Amino acid sequence: MKRSASAWLLAMILPTTAMAAQPVGVRDFGAIATTTGASEHADHALRYRVVFAVTRGADAPDKVDPSLERVARFVNLLAADGVQPKPGDIVAVISGPATVIALSDKAYVARTGSKGNGNPNLPLVERLRAAGVVVSVCSQALHGMKIPAEDVTPSVRRDVAAMMTIANLQLRGYALMPD
């Protein structure tokens, strides 16, 4: 009797365990270093609700924005420790000199004179979104830089203002990661 109960229990547990979702990282971006003996790993008991201010531009128009890649590094650090934030718990708010990273390929090339194949940040934006990260851009920055809303890639959400988004999220309990 004990044996059949154990087999039944094992059969009930294994499919669930085998099908449990593995934490999603951001492939090809946000490389992390393996460390031994380091403290302050991701804590499974915490809910990571974090807003990143993405304000710095890349050194060159054909380079991925380092501030946006920093968001990927955070997601990868969480995934390395087996932590999967809920969709929308990590938000990247683009403004200031980084605003151009929210542009479509065509608008990015026209704006930056990039000699590459378009906006090098868009593959990263897509991978962040696949990992549940919300990527938004400040409409005030768009206005200030005279960028029409239609030039923003559909993958990036337009918010009224970076400072409003960041203030709202902080008041809702998100931790701010300044640039």
Side-chain angles (χ1 to χ4, degrees):
M1 187 92 152
K2 275 186 177 179
R3 194 167 202 208
S4 64
S6 297
W8 177 82
L9 181 61
L10 190 58
M12 295 306 291
I13 293 172
L14 280 179
T16 306
T17 305
M19 298 189 60
Q22 293 298 312
V24 176
V26 181
R27 191 181 85 248
D28 300 327
F29 296 98
I32 59 173
T34 305
T35 57
T36 306
S39 49
E40 288 300 331
H41 285 265
D43 185 340
H44 289 264
L46 296 176
R47 181 172 179 192
Y48 287 89
R49 297 173 75 196
V50 181
V51 57
F52 284 81
V54 178
T55 61
R56 296 182 193 178
D59 293 338
D62 62 334
K63 302 285 186 208
V64 172
D65 189 281
S67 296
L68 192 61
E69 189 152 19
R70 187 167 163 250
V71 179
R73 185 169 298 106
F74 183 74
V75 173
N76 290 340
L77 286 166
L78 292 174
D81 284 331
V83 174
Q84 178 68 52
K86 293 180 181 178
D89 276 0
I90 299 176
V91 179
V93 182
I94 301 166
S95 65
T99 301
V100 296
I101 68 178
L103 300 181
S104 68
D105 283 325
K106 182 179 176 183
Y108 185 86
V109 169
R111 180 85 182 186
T112 65
S114 172
K115 305 293 186 224
N117 294 327
N119 185 342
N121 299 285
L122 295 185
L124 174 52
V125 168
E126 291 302 328
R127 288 195 179 103
L128 286 169
R129 289 189 62 221
V133 176
V134 172
V135 181
S136 72
V137 66
C138 173
S139 290
Q140 302 307 303
L142 291 170
H143 177 75
M145 295 177 79
K146 297 179 178 30
I147 297 172
E150 54 272 6
D151 283 357
V152 174
T153 184
S155 303
V156 174
R157 179 181 83 187
R158 286 185 305 113
D159 289 350
V160 71
M163 65 180 124
M164 188 61 67
T165 301
I166 291 170
N168 285 346
L169 291 176
Q170 283 191 285
L171 291 167
R172 292 179 190 138
Y174 283 66
L176 172 63
M177 297 292 273
D179 212 358

